[in-house]
Amino acid sequence: MPRYEVPTTLRSLAIRFREPSPAVINGELIIFAGDGGLEAHRHADGSFVWKTALPPRTLGNVSEWRQVFSLAARGDALYAAGSFFPNWMGGEYEPTSSRLEVRTGQLEWDLWAGPSPLATASIARPSVVIDSSNQPVFGGFYRAGTDSTRGLTEQGAARWSSNSGPVGLAAAIGDRVFHSHQGWFDALGVMHPVPRFQNISFPQPLVTSAGVVIIGVSSPRIELMSEASGWQRVPLLDFVHWPPRATQPRVSAAGAVSFALGGNTNSGPALYDFAPDGRLLAACTFRVSPNESVDTSQPVVELVGQVVLVDNGRKVVWAFQR
């Protein structure tokens, strides 16, 4: 049963295609974004702490709010990556990079890239992570036909910039910032690639008990690559229909790679655990008929002794005992 339910004053908690807006937990606060602003509540009881409206952009007589796509928080710093845009089919697009004070929501600095025509360029969604030096790295900084990634200081000054193409930042692991094109930036912004899958469905790197693991799709199978093996690909599952309807992989407390596949394999929908070297550890099937599928578009969440995921189609929560 729900522990509490509290209202939010933000205008929207979903971005395009109904994806949930970003949220982060930092200390006692959960901070989430909506159209034009950020809001913080205490996650213990839902009580309101602060709300900040980010400055709008005015074009002609129209005042435009921005959309926040990514949040990262550590210590007293909260970073937000977003953009202004009239629509996704054309017009002027302008990425933004911001820093706020976590406890109060005060805006400390706010950088705008300058408007650029969307045209037909491939644009990465703005994203932000905090690296091992406690400084932000922003991706999706689109300007004048280029899409770059930038390392900034805590004061917002440039440390490095890489014209890396349209990449989204996935995670900071030690001195490396992994991105969606399967590789990482080092502390100086130098790009280091790893072998690419044919189609990248799972760009998030996972830190397992055996090192960094990346899961991806190389039709017609889901594969795994581990740093320990020199990024050699290991097939995990063959699937029947494209695209494979699978959750984002997660790492269990024991270091196993876990994800659920909703029915695109011959064996039917199941939750899988793989070792970092690709060995199958366990497969737990859903209690549905052989021809039924499960909408596993939601990520796997591991609780104490249980794995939980949401069946979006049936509006059902599934739980598996570890």
Side-chain angles (χ1 to χ4, degrees):
M1 294 187 55
R3 291 191 295 119
Y4 57 79
E5 181 177 330
V6 295
T8 173
T9 60
L10 295 177
R11 296 186 298 168
S12 173
L13 292 178
I15 53 180
R16 64 181 185 137
F17 308 130
R18 299 183 181 180
E19 298 172 18
S21 292
V24 293
I25 291 179
N26 189 70
E28 65 174 2
L29 300 182
I30 179 170
I31 305 161
F32 49 93
D35 285 346
L38 302 166
E39 189 167 302
H41 291 252
R42 290 183 178 87
H43 55 72
D45 57 12
S47 57
F48 175 84
V49 179
W50 54 257
K51 177 184 177 181
T52 296
L54 297 173
R57 178 180 75 169
T58 301
L59 292 179
N61 296 322
V62 178
S63 182
E64 289 184 344
W65 290 102
R66 70 183 75 181
Q67 178 69 65
V68 176
F69 290 98
S70 178
L71 296 173
R74 187 179 298 169
D76 293 333
L78 170 66
Y79 297 99
S83 69
F84 296 103
F85 52 88
N87 55 64
W88 280 95
M89 300 303 294
E92 298 290 317
Y93 174 86
E94 183 167 10
T96 63
S97 307
S98 312
R99 173 179 163 131
L100 299 90
E101 208 281 330
V102 164
R103 293 169 298 178
T104 64
Q106 179 180 351
L107 184 63
E108 297 183 340
W109 47 258
D110 194 31
L111 306 176
W112 299 8
S116 294
L118 273 177
T120 58
S122 177
I123 299 173
R125 177 177 297 177
S127 52
V128 59
V129 298
I130 299 173
D131 65 18
S132 59
S133 66
N134 284 330
Q135 299 181 104
V137 178
F138 286 87
F141 195 83
Y142 182 78
R143 179 68 176 136
T146 62
D147 196 337
S148 65
T149 303
R150 303 185 307 158
L152 303 182
T153 67
E154 296 181 68
Q155 293 74 38
R159 292 186 289 132
W160 54 263
S161 178
S162 173
N163 187 12
S164 50
V167 302
L169 305 180
I173 300 175
D175 293 332
R176 299 173 294 178
V177 174
F178 282 80
H179 56 75
S180 60
H181 275 194
Q182 290 179 215
W184 68 84
F185 298 100
D186 63 22
L188 299 178
V190 179
M191 207 171 178
H192 299 263
V194 299
R196 293 191 62 183
F197 298 110
Q198 177 179 337
N199 299 286
I200 304 174
S201 294
F202 309 123
Q204 184 79 25
L206 307 174
V207 184
T208 72
S209 57
V212 178
V213 168
I214 297 176
I215 307 290
V217 174
S218 180
S219 179
R221 64 174 62 91
I222 295 176
E223 297 178 333
L224 171 150
M225 295 191 300
S226 67
E227 185 175 24
S229 70
W231 305 113
Q232 297 296 312
R233 296 182 188 175
V234 177
L236 300 183
L237 289 172
D238 288 339
F239 50 83
V240 178
H241 304 294
W242 176 261
R245 191 169 62 256
T247 61
Q248 288 284 341
R250 294 291 186 268
V251 176
S252 73
V257 176
S258 302
F259 62 91
L261 203 61
N264 287 349
T265 65
N266 291 318
S267 58
L271 172 74
Y272 296 94
D273 280 354
F274 287 92
D277 61 7
R279 289 177 294 111
L280 178 63
L281 300 177
C284 303
T285 57
F286 292 89
R287 293 179 180 176
V288 296
S289 64
N291 294 326
E292 281 191 284
S293 62
V294 176
D295 185 352
T296 54
S297 58
Q298 300 298 320
V300 171
V301 177
E302 181 164 1
L303 304 178
V304 177
Q306 286 188 326
V307 178
V308 180
L309 55 89
V310 176
D311 183 345
N312 235 18
R314 293 179 177 79
K315 308 302 180 186
V316 170
V317 176
W318 295 87
F320 295 89
Q321 201 73 28
R322 276 282 185 209

